[in-house]
Amino acid sequence: MAAKKLRRAQLSQEMCERLSRYQITTCQDFLCLSLLELMKVTGQSYYEVQKLLCKVSRACAPKMQTAYEMKLRKSVNPSSAFLTTTLHSLDRVLHGGVPCGSLTEITSPPGCGKTQFCIMLSVLATLPVSIGGLDGAVIYIDTESAFSAERLIEIAANRFPAYFDSDEKLLCMTRSIHLYRELTCCSVLKRIMSLEEEVISKKVKLIVIDSVASVVRKEFDTKLQGNLAERSNFLTRGASVLKYLAEEFSIPVILTNQITTSLSSGPGIRADLVSPADDLSLSEGSSVSGKRDSGCVTAALGNTWSHSVNTRLILQYHDLPTRQLLVAKSPVAPFSTFFYTIEKSGLVLQGKTRALVGLPFQLVF
Amino acid sequence: LSRCRCIPAMQRELGTLPLAPALRARLAAAGFQTAQELLDTGPCGLSKEIGISREEALEALQVVRQECDGNAARPAGGPGATRKFTALELLEEEQTQGFIITFCSALDNILGGGVQLTKITEICGAPGVGKTQLCMQLAVDVQIPECFGGVAGEAVFIDTEGSFMVDRVVDIAAACVQHCHLIAEAQQEEDHQKALETFSLENILSHIYYFRCRDYTELLAQVYLLPEFLAEHSKVRLVVIDGIAFPFRHDFEDLSLRTRLLNGLAQQLIIIANDHKAAVVLTNQMTTRIGQSQSTLVPALGESWGHAATVRLILHWDNRLEPSKNCEILFVAMRSSLFPGSFLPSLYHKVISLSCSVKCVLYIMSPCSTLRLKSHAVIP
């Protein structure tokens, strides 16, 4: 929308020519100028310039919809609003599953099961709608070379034995998962930019990027000056393209991130914090609760990234082999924890689930 | 013929009139100085003297006349006129001013009654703390009928981050309607019942006007078009821009351009808030500022942006990842009006601790400082 050329904004031909002499060709250039500059450049009076501004604005402003229309549209097509994870308690808390049209992040320390979760969700996306899938292809961007096709088949065969009863079905499923190995930030960004056409041509219903953190942390050392800003720049650019894809095609986008545990005492894991005081309360908490062994977790990639994702699921170690899944950020779900183990069929929820605030938010009177 | 009575407007210099620059240059070259001279010459004479067509001359004269006449005869208080009030009139206006109540009494108390109309309120906070939730709640609360204490208005929601969830708004709206029903049952009054007939889920949702802006160009365009939209929908009393920071935080090599655009936006929003008696609510992100020894979390978009808002709320996690404890809320309030570059001495501190579904710590402070309260007591 920003790059829309002015001649498509219904400005007269001569006005467009005149503006192009000042290198103003797109709506973005036009709207970035102040009123005085516009008067100088167009040679028009104040009132005329206001009218021109309205014209150009109308060409790039978004369309209005009321919340009611949005609700109606959603209720017409309820099943396509979520990708069920088949972890029933989690689905219930998330009001259906991983939401379509927004970014979901899975964060965890190494080895907790991010990639397993991603592989499991990839299988689910290829299933037909009748069993809860999205009946589409999957684009899997792998930066750590952690994807294993054998594990994919193992999960599929063990989780849905009734559906994947023949080898042919398994092969068909693997054919619809498109794997891209990207090893640098630049190539990841380029790949993300090129995804729009792929999504249309291959009828993609799920995009997975595993993992964003590894490639970013390799290249950006935030202790060096200027790197923090550059990293934020890269991340927000990526995030806005992914958001556009998610919303335009109404598909879920799953990203994985790394988590670092900052232990307040004891040797333990090296505190590999990317942004030392990402969350003020966390740094306070660690100084107050000095003696505790279990430290507080900080997601990598900083604050800007945390703002960009809409849903955040945190996986953590508990008493092995049980692990813990936290719904840390979600527009529809309260804080909840679940316990799970990783088995042949992927992630399996264990008995005790705890939703912290019980039901969805209510007003207090 | 000269007029008997000298109207000062007619002596206005040409440089102050909103004419096209090329035209103004020609007039100056021909020796014209005041508006009176132009009007005396007439369109034909003007066209011959400076070499423009008669139609252009007529247009210019009409612009000049409109400016001069308009200044003399414009009614006080009309849009665009210089606003003159006595402080008493302002006081009366402020006291009868509506607030957007949130039905969360602690929050309303701190804000002095609720979210104030004609002012800009900024909500900052860490990711996931509830900024969008609060905005969605306000979009519902602005529609509360007057007999229940609301302003019975409509809401414009401009979304730049894509975090608006219709299902959540449905939940909030249903709870709000239910709450009003409870009030109506408790105090059996006629107008309550009548108001409840129109205060339904469908009506609430239909009066939230949603715009999804993907980048800052769309945001700028939408804000330019907003006065027109508000003129058509005169019942709008709330404009929410969820995520003013997001579109401005990437792809901006030229920081001075960003500052200029943001200031322009702030100016336009202030005008919109005043002209249409609407509350403007913006949400901002937090960013890490690397200091010498440590990093702190500050609202994004820089120091100069801090002056845009009258009231700034900072939402803050408390005991965040302790799943076993209930999140507690500390309300710490320090309220002052906007006086750029200074800190009003008349602050009051109120510290309340209670559990509420909002789950946040509120710091309301003067936007020109990023001080945090060093110590605060908790009243259990």
Side-chain angles (χ1 to χ4, degrees), chain A residues 1 28 47 58 62 65-68 233 236 243 247 281 297 303 306-307 331 335 356 361-364, chain B residues 67 103 125 127 133 137 161 168 205 208 210 212 214 216-218 228 250-251 286 317 320-321 323 357:
Chain A
M1 270 301 139
Q28 184 172 6
Y47 298 117
R58 226 166 277 142
Q65 8 171 3
T66 64
Y68 189 58
N233 211 346
T236 35
K243 275 197 204 217
E247 283 174 24
S281 70
V297 291
N303 235 289
S306 306
H307 281 289
F335 245 159
L356 279 182
F361 299 143
Q362 291 164 355
L363 295 177
V364 167
Chain B
E67 267 300 304
F103 278 153
Q133 298 290 313
Q137 184 163 341
E161 295 176 339
R168 183 73 188 120
L205 291 180
I208 300 180
Y210 177 80
R212 174 77 169 95
R214 297 256 155 77
Y216 72 88
T217 312
E218 291 189 18
E228 203 184 300
H250 63 104
D251 271 349
M286 302 292 267
W317 281 114
R320 188 186 191 278
L321 285 171
S357 64

